[in-house]
């Protein structure tokens, strides 16, 4: 999709392709922010925030646990945060579609990465809300342009990034907006023209059907299997769209590499 947009931008003579990358990550209110919202917006706003996030993530139990966790030592607080917020990543295991030795290497890398994240939260003494805000924004990959047109995101510009990170977490929420989704994206909404507010979506759109359809091409990846990257039997049984989307991307990349090699060698 990015490559298609870049090609169209080149056809139109555009000099740069801008994206909204980083907006939600830097300006959306994090989980576990009841205390932060209360400090900036008052008790009523905090109660509304708690109601808005009751059905997501760790919910109300998580909000209460976050308040209690402030009394814990840093290392234990960071470990408890990780268990509450990222339960599937407490003991990560690479997908079965990865063939050995890559699966073992990826699993070892993932576990080392989790330990490093928890240690960084502990060293910084972050609250659960501060840790979640950090995890939403970092680490950020430097993704190269998908075509001949330069790409950039205003939200990731150095000056904007510094301002966004300095904004108190409680200010990222506003109790007066029209839906939980918008209230939790208050600073993003604030950047839009007032006339746009009535037509903004009132809930998050996940595009599950579109993603599932797009991932179907990942069920067959003969180049990846032949190269020994993937386990063919495990791939045939895989149903997770997130995994299949990556598989499809890998297969397309190998196909593109073959085409380029063929063009260079004349065969």
């Amino acid at each position: 999709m990015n490559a298609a947009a870049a090609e169209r931008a080149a056809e139109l003579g555009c000099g740069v392709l801008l994206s909204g990358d980083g907006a939600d990550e830097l300006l959306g209110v994090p989980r576990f922010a009841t205390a932060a919202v209360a400090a900036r917006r008052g008790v009523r706003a905090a109660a509304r925030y708690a109601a808005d996030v009751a059905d997501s993530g760790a919910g109300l139990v998580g909000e209460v646990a976050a308040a209690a966790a402030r009394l814990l030592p840093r290392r234990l607080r960071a470990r408890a945060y990780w268990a509450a917020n990222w339960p599937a990543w407490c003991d990560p295991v690479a997908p079965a579609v990865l063939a050995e030795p890559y699966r073992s290497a990826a699993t070892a890398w993932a576990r080392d990465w989790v330990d490093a994240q928890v240690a960084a939260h502990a060293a910084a003494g972050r609250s659960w809300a501060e840790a979640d805000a950090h995890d939403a924004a970092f680490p950020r990959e430097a993704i190269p342009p998908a075509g001949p047109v330069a790409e950039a995101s205003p939200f990731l510009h150095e000056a904007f990034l510094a301002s966004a990170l300095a904004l108190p977490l409680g200010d990222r929420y506003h109790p007066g907006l029209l839906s939980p989704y918008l209230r939790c994206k208050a600073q993003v909404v604030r950047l839009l023209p007032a006339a746009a507010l009535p037509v903004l979506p009132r809930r998050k759109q996940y595009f599950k059907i579109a993603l599932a359809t797009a991932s179907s091409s990942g069920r067959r990846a003969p180049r990846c299997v032949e190269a020994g990257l993937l386990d063919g039997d495990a791939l045939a049984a895989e149903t997770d769209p997130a995994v299949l989307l990556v598989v499809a991307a890998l297969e397309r990349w190998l196909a593109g590499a073959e085409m380029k090699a063929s063009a260079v060698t004349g065969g």
Side-chain angles (χ1 to χ4, degrees):
M1 188 181 296
N2 288 351
E7 285 185 20
R8 183 60 178 149
E11 292 171 2
L12 295 171
C14 298
V16 63
L17 191 60
L18 299 180
S19 79
D21 191 28
D24 286 352
E25 293 86 349
L26 290 166
L27 297 178
V29 69
R31 295 169 176 168
F32 315 119
T34 300
V37 172
R40 300 295 296 182
R41 304 285 193 185
V43 174
R44 287 188 178 180
R48 187 160 207 186
Y49 164 82
D52 285 346
V53 301
D55 295 326
S56 64
L60 290 178
V61 173
E63 295 298 316
V64 173
R70 285 182 167 274
L71 303 175
L72 297 175
R74 287 186 174 192
R75 181 74 182 179
L76 185 56
R77 181 167 71 231
R79 279 287 175 193
Y81 154 75
W82 198 267
N85 208 32
W86 310 109
W89 277 83
C90 286
D91 185 26
V93 177
V97 298
L98 270 178
E100 293 293 357
Y102 307 109
R103 188 171 191 240
S104 295
T107 296
W109 181 92
R111 289 173 177 172
D112 289 344
W113 183 85
V114 166
D115 288 343
Q117 304 315 299
V118 173
H121 289 321
R126 296 184 180 113
S127 68
W128 284 19
E130 291 166 343
D132 186 56
H134 181 277
D135 287 345
F138 303 104
R140 297 205 67 80
E141 289 185 81
I143 301 175
V149 178
E151 297 182 22
S153 173
F155 294 101
L156 298 178
H157 186 278
E158 184 177 319
F160 188 91
L161 187 63
S163 297
L165 293 176
L167 187 71
L169 296 182
D171 285 0
R172 296 187 185 187
Y173 180 83
H174 196 294
L177 293 174
L178 301 173
S179 72
Y181 178 64
L182 295 178
R183 290 194 285 271
C184 289
K185 309 288 185 190
Q187 291 296 338
V188 178
V189 174
R190 185 183 176 198
L191 295 174
L192 301 173
L197 187 58
V199 297
L200 291 177
R202 303 291 178 89
R203 58 186 179 84
K204 185 174 179 63
Q205 301 176 62
Y206 290 96
F207 308 105
K208 291 181 179 179
I209 295 175
L211 290 173
T213 301
S215 71
S216 62
S217 62
R219 297 187 186 282
R220 286 193 70 259
R223 293 176 181 83
C224 291
V225 173
E226 184 180 350
L229 295 173
L230 302 181
D231 182 307
D233 293 335
L235 179 58
E238 183 60 62
T239 59
D240 186 343
V243 173
L244 293 175
L245 283 168
V246 175
V247 169
L250 286 171
E251 185 70 10
R252 283 196 300 271
W253 188 92
L254 286 177
E258 283 183 3
M259 290 176 61
K260 288 184 179 293
S262 180
V264 169
T265 61

